[in-house]
PDB file of all heavy atoms in Angstrom:
ATOM      1  N   LEU A   1     -34.581-124.835-122.827  1.00 98.00           N
ATOM      2  CA  LEU A   1     -35.968-125.107-123.208  1.00 98.00           C
ATOM      3  C   LEU A   1     -36.506-126.312-122.443  1.00 98.00           C
ATOM      4  O   LEU A   1     -37.663-126.313-121.988  1.00 98.00           O
ATOM      5  CB  LEU A   1     -36.058-125.358-124.720  1.00 98.00           C
ATOM      6  CG  LEU A   1     -35.769-124.151-125.624  1.00 98.00           C
ATOM      7  CD1 LEU A   1     -35.893-124.550-127.087  1.00 98.00           C
ATOM      8  CD2 LEU A   1     -36.704-122.997-125.329  1.00 98.00           C
ATOM      9  N   ALA A   2     -35.674-127.328-122.287  1.00 97.00           N
ATOM     10  CA  ALA A   2     -36.106-128.511-121.568  1.00 97.00           C
ATOM     11  C   ALA A   2     -36.497-128.168-120.128  1.00 97.00           C
ATOM     12  O   ALA A   2     -37.536-128.624-119.623  1.00 97.00           O
ATOM     13  CB  ALA A   2     -34.996-129.562-121.562  1.00 97.00           C
ATOM     14  N   TYR A   3     -35.711-127.324-119.470  1.00 97.00           N
ATOM     15  CA  TYR A   3     -35.998-126.993-118.072  1.00 97.00           C
ATOM     16  C   TYR A   3     -37.230-126.104-117.957  1.00 97.00           C
ATOM     17  O   TYR A   3     -38.023-126.269-117.008  1.00 97.00           O
ATOM     18  CB  TYR A   3     -34.782-126.279-117.445  1.00 97.00           C
ATOM     19  CG  TYR A   3     -33.528-127.143-117.451  1.00 97.00           C
ATOM     20  CD1 TYR A   3     -32.252-126.578-117.506  1.00 97.00           C
ATOM     21  CD2 TYR A   3     -33.641-128.534-117.431  1.00 97.00           C
ATOM     22  CE1 TYR A   3     -31.101-127.383-117.509  1.00 97.00           C
ATOM     23  CE2 TYR A   3     -32.487-129.341-117.455  1.00 97.00           C
ATOM     24  CZ  TYR A   3     -31.244-128.755-117.499  1.00 97.00           C
ATOM     25  OH  TYR A   3     -30.111-129.541-117.526  1.00 97.00           O
ATOM     26  N   LEU A   4     -37.432-125.211-118.879  1.00 98.00           N
ATOM     27  CA  LEU A   4     -38.632-124.379-118.850  1.00 98.00           C
ATOM     28  C   LEU A   4     -39.883-125.226-119.063  1.00 98.00           C
ATOM     29  O   LEU A   4     -40.943-124.940-118.452  1.00 98.00           O
ATOM     30  CB  LEU A   4     -38.564-123.320-119.949  1.00 98.00           C
ATOM     31  CG  LEU A   4     -37.659-122.115-119.664  1.00 98.00           C
ATOM     32  CD1 LEU A   4     -37.503-121.265-120.929  1.00 98.00           C
ATOM     33  CD2 LEU A   4     -38.239-121.260-118.529  1.00 98.00           C
ATOM     34  N   TYR A   5     -39.791-126.254-119.876  1.00 97.00           N
ATOM     35  CA  TYR A   5     -40.967-127.065-120.206  1.00 97.00           C
ATOM     36  C   TYR A   5     -41.073-128.340-119.352  1.00 97.00           C
ATOM     37  O   TYR A   5     -41.784-129.256-119.704  1.00 97.00           O
ATOM     38  CB  TYR A   5     -41.007-127.369-121.692  1.00 97.00           C
ATOM     39  CG  TYR A   5     -41.381-126.147-122.509  1.00 97.00           C
ATOM     40  CD1 TYR A   5     -40.413-125.394-123.149  1.00 97.00           C
ATOM     41  CD2 TYR A   5     -42.696-125.733-122.577  1.00 97.00           C
ATOM     42  CE1 TYR A   5     -40.751-124.238-123.845  1.00 97.00           C
ATOM     43  CE2 TYR A   5     -43.054-124.596-123.291  1.00 97.00           C
ATOM     44  CZ  TYR A   5     -42.080-123.846-123.915  1.00 97.00           C
ATOM     45  OH  TYR A   5     -42.438-122.724-124.602  1.00 97.00           O
ATOM     46  N   GLY A   6     -40.319-128.379-118.239  1.00 95.00           N
ATOM     47  CA  GLY A   6     -40.617-129.380-117.223  1.00 95.00           C
ATOM     48  C   GLY A   6     -39.629-130.505-117.011  1.00 95.00           C
ATOM     49  O   GLY A   6     -39.841-131.325-116.120  1.00 95.00           O
ATOM     50  N   PHE A   7     -38.551-130.564-117.779  1.00 93.00           N
ATOM     51  CA  PHE A   7     -37.608-131.653-117.619  1.00 93.00           C
ATOM     52  C   PHE A   7     -36.677-131.397-116.421  1.00 93.00           C
ATOM     53  O   PHE A   7     -36.460-130.244-116.038  1.00 93.00           O
ATOM     54  CB  PHE A   7     -36.772-131.830-118.886  1.00 93.00           C
ATOM     55  CG  PHE A   7     -37.525-132.440-120.038  1.00 93.00           C
ATOM     56  CD1 PHE A   7     -38.317-131.652-120.840  1.00 93.00           C
ATOM     57  CD2 PHE A   7     -37.483-133.810-120.268  1.00 93.00           C
ATOM     58  CE1 PHE A   7     -39.047-132.186-121.901  1.00 93.00           C
ATOM     59  CE2 PHE A   7     -38.188-134.364-121.327  1.00 93.00           C
ATOM     60  CZ  PHE A   7     -38.992-133.560-122.139  1.00 93.00           C
ATOM     61  N   GLU A   8     -36.129-132.475-115.884  1.00 91.00           N
ATOM     62  CA  GLU A   8     -35.207-132.382-114.768  1.00 91.00           C
ATOM     63  C   GLU A   8     -33.795-132.085-115.252  1.00 91.00           C
ATOM     64  O   GLU A   8     -33.522-132.093-116.470  1.00 91.00           O
ATOM     65  CB  GLU A   8     -35.250-133.699-113.984  1.00 91.00           C
ATOM     66  CG  GLU A   8     -36.622-134.017-113.391  1.00 91.00           C
ATOM     67  CD  GLU A   8     -36.621-135.348-112.684  1.00 91.00           C
ATOM     68  OE1 GLU A   8     -35.545-135.879-112.386  1.00 91.00           O
ATOM     69  OE2 GLU A   8     -37.734-135.855-112.410  1.00 91.00           O
ATOM     70  N   GLN A   9     -32.898-131.836-114.309  1.00 91.00           N
ATOM     71  CA  GLN A   9     -31.498-131.538-114.618  1.00 91.00           C
ATOM     72  C   GLN A   9     -30.853-132.703-115.381  1.00 91.00           C
ATOM     73  O   GLN A   9     -30.986-133.858-114.971  1.00 91.00           O
ATOM     74  CB  GLN A   9     -30.708-131.305-113.328  1.00 91.00           C
ATOM     75  CG  GLN A   9     -29.229-131.037-113.521  1.00 91.00           C
ATOM     76  CD  GLN A   9     -28.920-129.645-113.995  1.00 91.00           C
ATOM     77  OE1 GLN A   9     -29.406-128.666-113.440  1.00 91.00           O
ATOM     78  NE2 GLN A   9     -28.115-129.525-115.055  1.00 91.00           N
ATOM     79  N   PHE A  10     -30.192-132.378-116.488  1.00 89.00           N
ATOM     80  CA  PHE A  10     -29.451-133.389-117.239  1.00 89.00           C
ATOM     81  C   PHE A  10     -28.017-133.428-116.728  1.00 89.00           C
ATOM     82  O   PHE A  10     -27.443-132.417-116.349  1.00 89.00           O
ATOM     83  CB  PHE A  10     -29.470-133.090-118.720  1.00 89.00           C
ATOM     84  CG  PHE A  10     -30.791-133.389-119.360  1.00 89.00           C
ATOM     85  CD1 PHE A  10     -31.729-132.380-119.601  1.00 89.00           C
ATOM     86  CD2 PHE A  10     -31.121-134.687-119.733  1.00 89.00           C
ATOM     87  CE1 PHE A  10     -32.951-132.671-120.175  1.00 89.00           C
ATOM     88  CE2 PHE A  10     -32.342-134.982-120.322  1.00 89.00           C
ATOM     89  CZ  PHE A  10     -33.263-133.970-120.537  1.00 89.00           C
ATOM     90  N   ASP A  11     -27.456-134.635-116.710  1.00 81.00           N
ATOM     91  CA  ASP A  11     -26.114-134.826-116.174  1.00 81.00           C
ATOM     92  C   ASP A  11     -25.054-134.466-117.222  1.00 81.00           C
ATOM     93  O   ASP A  11     -24.299-135.333-117.716  1.00 81.00           O
ATOM     94  CB  ASP A  11     -25.917-136.281-115.702  1.00 81.00           C
ATOM     95  CG  ASP A  11     -26.911-136.652-114.630  1.00 81.00           C
ATOM     96  OD1 ASP A  11     -27.209-135.777-113.805  1.00 81.00           O
ATOM     97  OD2 ASP A  11     -27.395-137.790-114.633  1.00 81.00           O
ATOM     98  N   LEU A  12     -25.023-133.189-117.550  1.00 76.00           N
ATOM     99  CA  LEU A  12     -24.055-132.725-118.553  1.00 76.00           C
ATOM    100  C   LEU A  12     -22.818-132.208-117.822  1.00 76.00           C
ATOM    101  O   LEU A  12     -22.915-131.410-116.914  1.00 76.00           O
ATOM    102  CB  LEU A  12     -24.695-131.595-119.368  1.00 76.00           C
ATOM    103  CG  LEU A  12     -24.285-131.503-120.834  1.00 76.00           C
ATOM    104  CD1 LEU A  12     -24.792-132.729-121.595  1.00 76.00           C
ATOM    105  CD2 LEU A  12     -24.888-130.235-121.472  1.00 76.00           C
ATOM    106  N   SER A  13     -21.681-132.698-118.231  1.00 68.00           N
ATOM    107  CA  SER A  13     -20.410-132.300-117.598  1.00 68.00           C
ATOM    108  C   SER A  13     -19.393-131.959-118.679  1.00 68.00           C
ATOM    109  O   SER A  13     -19.344-132.612-119.716  1.00 68.00           O
ATOM    110  CB  SER A  13     -19.862-133.414-116.703  1.00 68.00           C
ATOM    111  OG  SER A  13     -18.556-133.137-116.293  1.00 68.00           O
ATOM    112  N   GLU A  14     -18.602-130.931-118.418  1.00 59.00           N
ATOM    113  CA  GLU A  14     -17.573-130.531-119.383  1.00 59.00           C
ATOM    114  C   GLU A  14     -16.428-131.548-119.407  1.00 59.00           C
ATOM    115  O   GLU A  14     -15.674-131.593-120.361  1.00 59.00           O
ATOM    116  CB  GLU A  14     -17.045-129.142-119.017  1.00 59.00           C
ATOM    117  CG  GLU A  14     -18.097-128.040-119.214  1.00 59.00           C
ATOM    118  CD  GLU A  14     -17.608-126.701-118.677  1.00 59.00           C
ATOM    119  OE1 GLU A  14     -16.431-126.594-118.312  1.00 59.00           O
ATOM    120  OE2 GLU A  14     -18.435-125.753-118.620  1.00 59.00           O
ATOM    121  N   ASP A  15     -16.323-132.372-118.378  1.00 63.00           N
ATOM    122  CA  ASP A  15     -15.248-133.340-118.303  1.00 63.00           C
ATOM    123  C   ASP A  15     -15.656-134.686-118.896  1.00 63.00           C
ATOM    124  O   ASP A  15     -14.885-135.345-119.590  1.00 63.00           O
ATOM    125  CB  ASP A  15     -14.798-133.546-116.851  1.00 63.00           C
ATOM    126  CG  ASP A  15     -14.250-132.240-116.255  1.00 63.00           C
ATOM    127  OD1 ASP A  15     -13.531-131.528-116.976  1.00 63.00           O
ATOM    128  OD2 ASP A  15     -14.569-131.965-115.081  1.00 63.00           O
ATOM    129  N   ASP A  16     -16.889-135.104-118.622  1.00 65.00           N
ATOM    130  CA  ASP A  16     -17.320-136.413-119.082  1.00 65.00           C
ATOM    131  C   ASP A  16     -18.831-136.452-119.223  1.00 65.00           C
ATOM    132  O   ASP A  16     -19.523-135.944-118.356  1.00 65.00           O
ATOM    133  CB  ASP A  16     -16.853-137.503-118.094  1.00 65.00           C
ATOM    134  CG  ASP A  16     -17.206-138.899-118.567  1.00 65.00           C
ATOM    135  OD1 ASP A  16     -17.052-139.144-119.781  1.00 65.00           O
ATOM    136  OD2 ASP A  16     -17.641-139.723-117.759  1.00 65.00           O
ATOM    137  N   VAL A  17     -19.326-137.008-120.281  1.00 69.00           N
ATOM    138  CA  VAL A  17     -20.770-137.120-120.516  1.00 69.00           C
ATOM    139  C   VAL A  17     -21.097-138.583-120.767  1.00 69.00           C
ATOM    140  O   VAL A  17     -20.534-139.200-121.661  1.00 69.00           O
ATOM    141  CB  VAL A  17     -21.212-136.272-121.747  1.00 69.00           C
ATOM    142  CG1 VAL A  17     -22.701-136.409-121.950  1.00 69.00           C
ATOM    143  CG2 VAL A  17     -20.827-134.817-121.539  1.00 69.00           C
ATOM    144  N   ASP A  18     -21.995-139.132-119.943  1.00 71.00           N
ATOM    145  CA  ASP A  18     -22.333-140.524-120.133  1.00 71.00           C
ATOM    146  C   ASP A  18     -23.171-140.704-121.376  1.00 71.00           C
ATOM    147  O   ASP A  18     -23.810-139.782-121.866  1.00 71.00           O
ATOM    148  CB  ASP A  18     -23.050-141.110-118.893  1.00 71.00           C
ATOM    149  CG  ASP A  18     -24.371-140.381-118.616  1.00 71.00           C
ATOM    150  OD1 ASP A  18     -25.324-140.596-119.381  1.00 71.00           O
ATOM    151  OD2 ASP A  18     -24.435-139.630-117.629  1.00 71.00           O
ATOM    152  N   SER A  19     -23.179-141.932-121.905  1.00 73.00           N
ATOM    153  CA  SER A  19     -23.843-142.205-123.175  1.00 73.00           C
ATOM    154  C   SER A  19     -25.350-141.963-123.091  1.00 73.00           C
ATOM    155  O   SER A  19     -25.977-141.550-124.069  1.00 73.00           O
ATOM    156  CB  SER A  19     -23.574-143.666-123.594  1.00 73.00           C
ATOM    157  OG  SER A  19     -24.033-144.569-122.633  1.00 73.00           O
ATOM    158  N   GLU A  20     -25.918-142.188-121.924  1.00 75.00           N
ATOM    159  CA  GLU A  20     -27.369-141.990-121.747  1.00 75.00           C
ATOM    160  C   GLU A  20     -27.745-140.518-121.930  1.00 75.00           C
ATOM    161  O   GLU A  20     -28.686-140.179-122.631  1.00 75.00           O
ATOM    162  CB  GLU A  20     -27.784-142.476-120.370  1.00 75.00           C
ATOM    163  CG  GLU A  20     -29.285-142.565-120.192  1.00 75.00           C
ATOM    164  CD  GLU A  20     -29.645-143.210-118.846  1.00 75.00           C
ATOM    165  OE1 GLU A  20     -29.450-142.544-117.813  1.00 75.00           O
ATOM    166  OE2 GLU A  20     -30.124-144.378-118.841  1.00 75.00           O
ATOM    167  N   THR A  21     -26.970-139.640-121.274  1.00 80.00           N
ATOM    168  CA  THR A  21     -27.218-138.212-121.401  1.00 80.00           C
ATOM    169  C   THR A  21     -27.000-137.760-122.831  1.00 80.00           C
ATOM    170  O   THR A  21     -27.770-136.969-123.379  1.00 80.00           O
ATOM    171  CB  THR A  21     -26.287-137.410-120.465  1.00 80.00           C
ATOM    172  OG1 THR A  21     -26.554-137.795-119.123  1.00 80.00           O
ATOM    173  CG2 THR A  21     -26.515-135.919-120.614  1.00 80.00           C
ATOM    174  N   MET A  22     -25.939-138.274-123.465  1.00 82.00           N
ATOM    175  CA  MET A  22     -25.658-137.940-124.860  1.00 82.00           C
ATOM    176  C   MET A  22     -26.833-138.326-125.757  1.00 82.00           C
ATOM    177  O   MET A  22     -27.242-137.563-126.636  1.00 82.00           O
ATOM    178  CB  MET A  22     -24.384-138.648-125.323  1.00 82.00           C
ATOM    179  CG  MET A  22     -24.019-138.374-126.774  1.00 82.00           C
ATOM    180  SD  MET A  22     -23.400-136.726-127.011  1.00 82.00           S
ATOM    181  CE  MET A  22     -21.678-136.959-126.527  1.00 82.00           C
ATOM    182  N   ASN A  23     -27.385-139.524-125.514  1.00 82.00           N
ATOM    183  CA  ASN A  23     -28.511-139.968-126.319  1.00 82.00           C
ATOM    184  C   ASN A  23     -29.720-139.043-126.206  1.00 82.00           C
ATOM    185  O   ASN A  23     -30.404-138.776-127.181  1.00 82.00           O
ATOM    186  CB  ASN A  23     -28.904-141.391-125.935  1.00 82.00           C
ATOM    187  CG  ASN A  23     -27.916-142.424-126.419  1.00 82.00           C
ATOM    188  OD1 ASN A  23     -27.144-142.163-127.327  1.00 82.00           O
ATOM    189  ND2 ASN A  23     -27.933-143.603-125.818  1.00 82.00           N
ATOM    190  N   TYR A  24     -29.982-138.577-124.984  1.00 84.00           N
ATOM    191  CA  TYR A  24     -31.132-137.692-124.804  1.00 84.00           C
ATOM    192  C   TYR A  24     -30.889-136.306-125.397  1.00 84.00           C
ATOM    193  O   TYR A  24     -31.819-135.691-125.918  1.00 84.00           O
ATOM    194  CB  TYR A  24     -31.540-137.630-123.328  1.00 84.00           C
ATOM    195  CG  TYR A  24     -32.333-138.847-122.952  1.00 84.00           C
ATOM    196  CD1 TYR A  24     -31.726-139.966-122.376  1.00 84.00           C
ATOM    197  CD2 TYR A  24     -33.671-138.946-123.290  1.00 84.00           C
ATOM    198  CE1 TYR A  24     -32.441-141.121-122.103  1.00 84.00           C
ATOM    199  CE2 TYR A  24     -34.399-140.103-123.010  1.00 84.00           C
ATOM    200  CZ  TYR A  24     -33.769-141.178-122.424  1.00 84.00           C
ATOM    201  OH  TYR A  24     -34.478-142.337-122.174  1.00 84.00           O
ATOM    202  N   MET A  25     -29.651-135.850-125.363  1.00 88.00           N
ATOM    203  CA  MET A  25     -29.342-134.590-126.035  1.00 88.00           C
ATOM    204  C   MET A  25     -29.574-134.741-127.546  1.00 88.00           C
ATOM    205  O   MET A  25     -30.103-133.852-128.198  1.00 88.00           O
ATOM    206  CB  MET A  25     -27.888-134.189-125.757  1.00 88.00           C
ATOM    207  CG  MET A  25     -27.592-133.696-124.347  1.00 88.00           C
ATOM    208  SD  MET A  25     -28.487-132.183-123.899  1.00 88.00           S
ATOM    209  CE  MET A  25     -29.816-132.866-122.886  1.00 88.00           C
ATOM    210  N   LEU A  26     -29.158-135.887-128.076  1.00 89.00           N
ATOM    211  CA  LEU A  26     -29.362-136.143-129.516  1.00 89.00           C
ATOM    212  C   LEU A  26     -30.856-136.254-129.840  1.00 89.00           C
ATOM    213  O   LEU A  26     -31.272-135.841-130.916  1.00 89.00           O
ATOM    214  CB  LEU A  26     -28.655-137.453-129.898  1.00 89.00           C
ATOM    215  CG  LEU A  26     -27.126-137.357-130.053  1.00 89.00           C
ATOM    216  CD1 LEU A  26     -26.518-138.747-130.163  1.00 89.00           C
ATOM    217  CD2 LEU A  26     -26.777-136.532-131.270  1.00 89.00           C
ATOM    218  N   LEU A  27     -31.648-136.764-128.906  1.00 90.00           N
ATOM    219  CA  LEU A  27     -33.083-136.876-129.146  1.00 90.00           C
ATOM    220  C   LEU A  27     -33.704-135.476-129.272  1.00 90.00           C
ATOM    221  O   LEU A  27     -34.499-135.222-130.166  1.00 90.00           O
ATOM    222  CB  LEU A  27     -33.730-137.634-127.979  1.00 90.00           C
ATOM    223  CG  LEU A  27     -35.116-138.234-128.229  1.00 90.00           C
ATOM    224  CD1 LEU A  27     -35.084-139.186-129.392  1.00 90.00           C
ATOM    225  CD2 LEU A  27     -35.588-138.961-126.949  1.00 90.00           C
TER     226      LEU A  27
END
């Protein structure tokens, strides 16, 4: 949904997810 509505690629990784990306997913 985020990509369809204009957001850029999120740095989601199956090995490691930084806290910033995690916070935005939670948002």
Side-chain angles (χ1 to χ4, degrees):
L1 294 179
Y3 299 152
L4 283 170
Y5 287 100
F7 288 84
E8 299 177 15
Q9 177 78 49
F10 286 98
D11 300 323
L12 214 65
S13 170
E14 293 172 8
D15 298 320
D16 184 40
V17 180
D18 61 72
S19 59
E20 191 174 71
T21 299
M22 179 72 82
N23 286 341
Y24 281 95
M25 288 297 102
L26 283 169
L27 199 58

